[in-house]
C-alpha cells in the first residue's frame, strides 16, 4: 500500500573519484523532531516532578518563604537566632564571599531549608489525616464533630489545583490487618456456606494456623509492609496475572461497550478517527499530568499509579511468567482490518494528527483490497491461547527479520485498533443483539484482537465501538474513566458533519499507513492455525447475556433507603439460590485506591444476614419482616465494602500469607484449602460518571452499556453490572456452555424476577 520510510539518514559509497555522501534530509528532519519532542517530554517531566514534590504547597511559596526570612533579617531581627551567621561561616562556597553577600546567600539558603521542612510537615500531616476512615462509616448528612473537623483539616492541608500524581506522596500505605481479625472475618464469611461439621473442621484449621505458622508468616508480611510501597500489589500483579499460564482471552481480559441509546455516525473510519484522536489527547493529559485526580466527595484523593501504563504497554509472554513492557512514548498505532496489520503514524510535523487526517488514513486501509499474508489473518490467536506455546513461538519465529520488525510495530504501538468487517448494534426488538455485541468485544473471532495489548479499540462496520482490555496493568475503573471521557468528547467536543464524516479538513497529506510484512515458516503456520482452532473452541464455550433492566433503577432504590450496590448484590444472591438451590462463595470487587498503589480487595457478599433474608423471602414471610432483614443484610454488606476499601479485607491478606509460606518453604493446609475454594459467583460493578464529562440529567440517553468478563469458575457465573442513571441497570452475565448447571439467559431471568419481587416487597410495606 505504501512504502516504508527510509531506514537511515545518510549513506555513502567509495568511488575512484572519492567518497560520495548521500544525505536523506527527510529522515534527518524526522530524527531532529523526535529528539526535540523527547527533550520537551523530559523537561516537562522534571517540572511535574518538582511541582508534585512540593505539593500541597506551590513553587511560588518558596519565594514567599525566602522573602519573609530576608525581610525580617533586613528589618533588624534575626529569625534564625544566629543560624544565618553559622551558615555563612561553615557552608562551602558561601564562606568565601564577603560579609554582606554571604549574609544574603545564607538567608536565601535558610529560607529554602525552612520551606522544605514546612512542606514535608504539611505533607506528613496530610498523610496522617488520610489514614482516618471513620467518615466512610457515618450516615450521609449526619457527620460527627470529629469528621467535620477532619474535613476542614483536609481542605486546609489538601492544596489547590493538584496534578494527576500530586497526592501520591501523601497517600498512606495499605495496612496489614491483624491475623486474629482476618481469621475471625474469614470464619464468619464461610459460616453460611458450610455444614456444621465442615465448619468446625475449618475453625480448627484456622485456630491452629493463627497460633502456629501464621504468626511467623505475619511477621514477614509486616516487615514487607514497612519496606514496600504496597505489601499486596506487586505480588498480586505477578502471581495472579502474569504468572498464569492459561489463556488470557475470556479468562482474564475484560471488555466495554458503547453508549447504546445514541449513535454518532455510521461511518467506521470517522468514528474510529474521532475516538483515536480523543484517546491520544487523553494520553497527552496523562503524560503531562493535566488529568484531574479522582477525589471522593471532593475531599479524599484516590491513588493515580495505574494510569501510567494505560498506553504504549504490552504483556510479553514468557515460559514461566509474563512481563509487562511499557514504552515512554509511541508515535504510531497498530490497525487490524480484514486479516491485515498496518502501522499508522499519529504524529506529523511535530503535532498530533487531527480527526479528519486520521480518518483519511483509516479509509485508505478500509478501501485497500489486498489479501493478508499467509498466517497473518489468524496471527493474534497466539495471544488468545496458552502462554507457553506463544512464548516459545515468539522466541523462535519472531526474533529477527520481518517478523521481528512487524511484531515490534504492534507491541510498541500506543494501542491497537480493530476495524471489524461485521456490524453490531442494540436492537430493542432483538434481545440477542446485545449478546452478539458483548461476545464481539469479549473475544471476537478469537484472532482479531491483540489480547496482549493494554487495550484494543474495536470499531464495527456500522460505527459502533467497544474495547478489549488486558487486566494485569490496571483494573477496570481506569479503562472506564478513559472510555467515559472519549465517548462523551466524541459527541460533545469533536462531533461530526451532517454526512457523518469528521469535522475539519486535511491541512497536509498525512503519512500513508505502512503494511506490516510477515514471513512464517511451515511450523509457525501450523501453530497459528492450531491456536486459532483452540481459540475458536474457547469462544464457542462462552455463554454471554447482556440484559438491559429498565423496570426501575437506583432512583427507586434510594427511596427504599438502601445502598443500590447492596440491593443488587442481595438480588444476585436471591437469583443464585433460586437457580442452584444453595448459596455459594461470592466475589465482589472493591478498590483499595485510598492507599498508595492500591488495586482491589474482595467483598464476600454472601453473608449470614443475606442468607437469612433470602430464606425468609422464599418462605414468603410478611413484608415488614422481609424489609427489616433486607435492610440488615444491606447494612452488613455496606460495612463489608467499607472494610475492604479501608484495608480491613481478608482475601488479599490471606493471599500474601500464602505467598510468604511458599517463599519460606512451609506449606499450610489451612491456606491451601482457603485459596482453592471456587468463586462460583464472581461479580463487579462498573463505575459510572467518574468525571464531570457525562451529565445524565441533561443527556439521559448517553448512559453507557458498561462491560463484562468471563466466568471465573467452570461451573459458575461472572456478573458485571452498571447502575446507569436513575432508571436503568445493565447486567453482563457469563458462564460456560459446557457446564450443564449454568445458563446465562436463565440466570438473567432470575435476576429480573428477583428485582421485581424485591420491588413489590417495598411497595407493599
Amino acid at each position: 500500500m505504501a512504502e516504508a520510510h527510509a531506514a537511515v539518514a545518510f549513506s555513502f559509497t567509495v568511488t575512484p573519484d572519492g567518497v560520495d555522501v548521500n544525505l536523506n534530509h527527510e529522515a534527518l528532519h524526522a530524527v531532529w523532531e523526535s529528539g526535540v519532542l523527547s527533550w520537551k517530554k523530559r523537561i516537562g517531566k522534571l517540572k511535574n516532578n518538582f511541582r508534585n514534590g512540593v505539593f500541597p504547597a506551590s513553587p511560588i511559596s518558596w519565594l514567599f518563604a525566602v522573602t519573609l526570612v530576608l525581610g525580617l533579617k533586613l528589618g533588624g531581627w534575626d529569625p534564625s537566632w544566629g543560624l544565618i551567621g553559622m551558615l555563612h561561616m561553615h557552608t562551602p562556597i558561601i564562606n568565601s564571599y564577603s560579609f554582606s553577600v554571604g549574609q544574603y546567600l545564607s538567608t536565601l539558603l535558610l529560607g529554602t531549608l525552612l520551606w522544605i521542612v514546612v512542606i514535608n510537615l504539611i505533607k506528613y500531616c496530610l498523610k496522617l489525616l488520610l489514614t482516618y476512615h471513620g467518615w466512610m462509616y457515618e450516615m450521609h448528612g449526619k457527620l460527627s464533630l470529629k469528621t467535620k473537623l477532619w474535613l476542614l483539616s483536609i481542605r486546609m492541608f489538601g492544596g489547590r489545583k493538584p496534578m494527576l500524581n500530586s497526592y501520591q506522596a501523601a497517600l498512606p500505605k495499605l495496612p496489614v490487618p491483624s491475623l486474629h481479625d482476618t481469621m475471625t472475618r474469614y470464619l464468619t464469611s464461610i459460616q453460611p456456606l458450610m455444614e456444621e461439621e465442615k465448619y468446625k473442621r475449618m475453625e480448627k484449621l484456622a485456630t491452629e494456623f493463627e497460633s502456629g505458622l501464621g504468626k511467623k508468616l505475619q511477621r514477614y508480611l509486616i516487615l514487607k509492609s514497612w519496606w514496600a510501597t504496597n505489601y499486596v500489589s506487586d505480588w498480586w500483579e505477578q502471581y495472579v496475572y502474569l504468572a498464569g499460564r492459561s489463556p488470557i482471552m475470556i479468562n482474564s481480559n475484560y471488555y466495554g461497550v458503547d453508549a447504546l441509546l445514541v449513535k454518532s455516525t455510521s461511518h467506521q473510519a470517522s468514528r474510529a478517527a474521532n475516538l483515536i484522536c480523543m484517546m491520544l489527547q487523553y494520553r497527552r493529559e496523562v503524560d503531562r499530568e493535566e488529568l484531574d485526580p479522582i477525589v471522593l466527595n471532593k475531599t479524599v484523593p484516590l491513588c493515580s499509579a495505574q494510569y501510567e501504563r494505560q498506553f504504549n504497554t504490552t504483556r510479553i509472554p514468557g515460559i514461566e511468567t509474563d512481563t509487562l513492557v511499557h514504552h515512554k512514548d509511541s508515535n504510531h498505532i497498530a490497525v487490524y482490518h480484514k486479516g491485515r496489520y498496518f502501522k499508522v503514524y499519529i504524529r506529523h510535523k511535530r503535532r498530533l494528527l487531527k480527526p479528519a487526517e486520521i480518518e483519511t488514513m483509516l479509509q485508505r486501509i478500509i478501501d485497500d483490497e489486498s489479501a493478508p499474508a499467509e498466517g497473518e489473518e489468524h496471527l493474534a490467536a497466539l495471544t488468545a491461547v496458552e502462554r507457553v506455546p506463544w512464548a516459545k513461538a515468539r522466541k523462535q519465529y519472531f526474533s529477527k527479520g520481518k517478523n521481528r520488525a512487524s511484531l515490534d510495530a504492534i507491541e510498541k504501538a500506543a494501542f491497537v485498533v480493530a476495524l471489524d468487517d461485521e456490524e453490531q448494534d442494540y436492537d430493542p426488538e432483538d434481545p440477542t443483539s446485545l449478546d452478539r455485541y458483548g461476545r464481539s468485544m469479549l473475544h471476537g473471532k478469537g484472532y482479531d484482537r491483540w489480547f496482549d495489548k493494554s487495550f484494543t479499540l474495536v470499531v464495527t462496520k456500522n460505527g459502533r465501538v467497544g474495547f478489549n482490555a488486558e487486566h494485569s496493568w490496571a483494573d477496570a475503573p481506569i479503562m472506564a474513566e478513559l472510555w467515559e471521557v472519549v465517548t462523551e468528547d466524541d459527541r460533545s467536543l469533536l462531533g461530526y458533519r451532517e454526512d457523518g464524516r469528521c469535522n475539519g479538513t486535511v491541512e497536509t497529506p498525512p503519512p500513508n499507513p505502512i503494511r506490516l510484512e510477515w514471513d512464517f515458516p511451515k511450523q509457525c503456520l501450523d501453530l497459528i492455525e492450531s491456536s486459532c482452532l483452540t481459540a475458536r473452541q474457547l469462544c464457542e464455550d462462552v455463554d454471554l447475556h447482556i440484559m438491559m433492566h429498565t423496570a426501575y433503577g437506583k432512583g427507586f432504590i434510594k427511596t427504599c433507603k438502601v445502598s443500590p450496590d447492596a440491593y443488587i448484590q442481595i438480588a444476585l444472591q436471591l437469583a443464585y439460590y433460586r437457580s442452584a438451590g444453595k448459596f455459594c462463595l461470592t466475589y465482589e470487587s472493591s478498590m483499595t485506591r485510598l492507599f498508595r498503589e492500591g488495586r482491589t480487595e474482595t467483598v464476600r457478599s454472601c453473608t449470614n444476614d443475606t442468607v437469612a433474608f433470602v430464606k425468609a423471602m422464599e418462605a414468603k414471610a410478611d413484608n415488614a419482616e422481609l424489609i427489616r432483614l433486607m435492610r440488615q443484610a444491606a447494612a452488613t454488606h455496606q460495612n463489608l465494602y467499607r472494610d475492604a476499601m479501608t484495608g480491613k479485607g481478608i482475601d488479599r491478606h490471606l493471599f500474601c500469607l500464602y505467598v510468604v509460606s511458599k517463599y519460606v518453604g512451609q506449606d499450610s493446609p489451612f491456606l491451601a484449602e482457603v485459596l482453592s475454594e471456587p468463586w462460583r459467583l464472581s461479580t463487579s460493578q462498573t463505575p459510572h460518571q467518574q468525571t464531570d464529562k457525562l451529565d445524565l440529567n441533561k443527556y439521559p440517553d448517553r448512559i453507557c452499556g458498561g462491560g463484562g468478563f468471563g466466568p471465573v469458575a467452570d461451573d459458575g457465573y461472572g456478573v458485571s453490572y452498571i447502575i446507569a442513571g436513575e432508571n436503568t441497570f445493565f447486567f453482563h452475565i457469563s458462564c460456560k456452555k459446557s457446564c450443564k448447571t449454568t445458563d446465562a439467559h436463565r440466570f438473567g431471568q432470575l435476576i429480573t424476577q428477583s428485582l421485581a419481587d424485591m420491588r413489590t416487597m417495598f411497595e407493599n410495606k
Side-chain angles (χ1 to χ4, degrees), residues 501-513:
R501 295 296 183 180
C502 292
N503 284 316
T505 58
V506 178
E507 296 180 4
T508 57
N512 282 327

Side-chain angles (χ1 to χ4, degrees), residues 503-622:
N503 284 316
T505 58
V506 178
E507 296 180 4
T508 57
N512 282 327
I514 299 173
R515 175 75 183 274
L516 300 186
E517 298 180 356
W518 310 92
D519 183 15
F520 300 121
K522 174 81 167 51
Q523 299 93 326
C524 185
L525 291 173
D526 291 342
L527 179 61
I528 291 172
E529 289 309 309
S530 65
S531 297
C532 185
L533 179 62
T534 301
R536 190 175 293 119
Q537 292 170 345
L538 292 172
C539 296
E540 290 172 352
D541 193 31
V542 174
D543 186 11
L544 179 66
H545 177 46
I546 301 180
M547 183 177 70
M548 184 177 182
H549 181 274
T550 56
Y552 65 95
K554 70 175 181 180
F556 170 77
I557 296 175
K558 286 187 290 188
T559 67
C560 303
K561 298 181 181 180
V562 174
S563 157
D565 180 69
Y567 188 100
I568 292 176
Q569 285 290 329
I570 293 168
L572 293 176
Q573 291 298 321
L574 180 56
Y576 187 86
Y577 185 78
R578 288 172 171 176
S579 171
K582 59 182 179 181
F583 297 96
C584 70
L585 191 62
T586 305
Y587 181 111
E588 182 187 5
S589 180
S590 165
M591 63 91 173
T592 55
R593 289 170 62 198
L594 291 170
F595 304 96
R596 191 167 182 179
E597 294 184 15
R599 290 198 59 161
T600 61
E601 179 56 274
T602 304
V603 180
R604 295 184 168 222
S605 300
C606 186
T607 64
N608 283 313
D609 290 323
T610 302
V611 168
F613 166 75
V614 170
K615 288 183 175 180
M617 191 77 170
E618 292 301 272
K620 303 189 185 307
D622 65 90

Side-chain angles (χ1 to χ4, degrees), residues 13-20:
T13 56
V14 179
T15 68
D17 298 325
V19 179
D20 181 21

Side-chain angles (χ1 to χ4, degrees), residues 316-334:
I316 304 298
I319 302 299
E320 295 182 354
T321 185
D322 294 353
T323 54
L324 275 176
V325 175
H326 171 71
H327 302 278
K328 292 183 178 179
D329 194 18
S330 177
N331 290 319
H332 71 277
I333 58 174

